[in-house]
Amino acid sequence: MIISFLNQKGGVGKTTLSINAAYALADQGHKVILADSDPQRSSMAWASVRNNANKPLSFNVIGIDSGSMRETLTRMKQQDGYDFIVIDGAPRMTDLARAAIIISDLVVMPMQASGFDLWATDELKSMIEEAKIYKPEIIHAVLLNRVVPNTNLAKDVLADMQENGWTFFDTVIGQRQNFANAATQGLTVFEVANSKSAQDEILFMIDEILKLKD
Ligand SMILES: Nc1ncnc2c1ncn2[C@@H]1O[C@H](COP(=O)(O)OP(=O)(O)O)[C@@H](O)[C@H]1O
Ligand SMILES: [Mg+2]
């Protein structure tokens, strides 16, 4: 299964969720690779911090660009037998997003419940619509990230998005300092203390993804 975390907006959690999702899937025994498509190479930087700290990692992180994405990742899926290829998306890179969408089985769009950027949403949606002409089976869903408990979500905006064909993960990821703290150390929330809630959220997300796979 190829899963890409995409949003044309930066800072929504693409890298954070990619890293933690890849880790959780690998931890469950799946053969996983994380493909970093962002020219800023945040996932690769994370992996190198980790490497310098001598922390082993049970999946590889590779850099990928829009030109080589399709060929490289399709081969990895078919010949190298990866169960999951996780693509960490890049902001504002239309070619990269297009290339990622067309090879994905699932496009996850992380977004914050506040500060909606509807332009980003609409642009991604129309790219997905285009891709679906060739590959109607692509699944796409919004994953709310950095949600602060007891704040009202912009319900009318969510309803608009649903009308516009977006479905939402049942999982909601909270605003939790552990996500940031872990990443800075080259770690995931599964490797830092007092992170049960963050871990559970990632595991719920993985469960939802695994259900889509069947
Ligand atoms: N659920 C969360 N709780 C707290 N901080 C988060 C959460 N998700 C992401 N962040 C922080 O927000 C910033 C942007 O996240 P990042 O994953 O780099 O976004 P993107 O890859 O979409 O640009 C980072 O500093 C990250 O640590
Ligand atoms: Mg990123």
Side-chain angles (χ1 to χ4, degrees):
M1 185 183 208
I2 302 186
I3 307 164
S4 50
F5 287 85
L6 299 180
N7 189 324
Q8 293 294 83
K9 194 167 164 21
V12 294
K14 295 181 288 296
T15 300
T16 304
L17 296 168
S18 296
I19 288 167
N20 283 284
Y23 186 96
L25 286 164
D27 200 44
Q28 292 179 2
H30 301 289
K31 186 174 175 182
V32 178
I33 193 153
L34 175 58
D36 186 354
S37 78
D38 190 338
Q40 292 202 332
R41 298 287 187 244
S42 316
S43 287
M44 291 186 79
W46 169 84
S48 95
V49 170
R50 187 179 179 96
N51 191 42
N52 293 339
N54 287 319
K55 278 267 174 189
L57 187 58
S58 51
F59 60 90
N60 284 325
V61 184
I62 56 164
I64 199 103
D65 58 39
S66 58
S68 59
M69 183 171 317
R70 187 171 195 155
E71 195 200 322
T72 309
L73 298 187
T74 309
R75 177 177 41 77
M76 288 183 139
K77 186 180 173 184
Q78 284 164 1
Q79 292 174 17
D80 303 336
Y82 281 99
D83 301 311
F84 290 93
I85 297 173
V86 177
I87 302 175
D88 178 12
R92 295 176 294 279
M93 306 280 285
T94 309
D95 287 351
L96 270 171
R98 261 202 196 99
I101 291 166
I102 197 69
I103 59 167
S104 290
D105 301 293
L106 168 66
V107 175
V108 181
M109 185 174 71
M111 71 187 292
Q112 287 172 40
S114 59
F116 284 105
D117 188 326
L118 290 171
W119 167 80
T121 310
D122 284 348
E123 198 197 12
L124 188 59
K125 187 67 184 8
S126 45
M127 282 193 272
I128 291 171
E129 291 307 322
E130 278 168 35
K132 279 181 135 180
I133 298 170
Y134 306 99
K135 196 178 166 192
E137 65 274 21
I138 300 172
I139 302 171
H140 53 97
V142 175
L143 180 61
L144 293 176
N145 186 28
R146 307 192 74 166
V147 172
V148 179
N150 304 320
T151 48
N152 278 330
L153 303 186
K155 292 215 170 62
D156 45 341
V157 178
L158 299 188
D160 273 3
M161 287 181 69
Q162 253 158 344
E163 245 169 58
N164 195 23
W166 285 105
T167 51
F168 287 78
F169 272 85
D170 290 334
T171 305
V172 166
I173 311 282
Q175 166 66 34
R176 300 185 189 283
Q177 196 54 39
N178 281 333
F179 280 107
N181 290 347
T184 323
Q185 304 169 65
L187 300 174
T188 64
V189 293
F190 296 96
E191 302 163 285
V192 295
N194 305 319
S195 282
K196 176 90 168 60
S197 306
Q199 292 170 15
D200 284 348
E201 288 169 348
I202 296 295
L203 293 173
F204 279 129
M205 171 185 75
I206 295 299
D207 275 354
E208 282 198 81
I209 290 174
L210 289 171
K211 277 185 202 133
L212 292 172
K213 195 167 186 264
D214 304 330

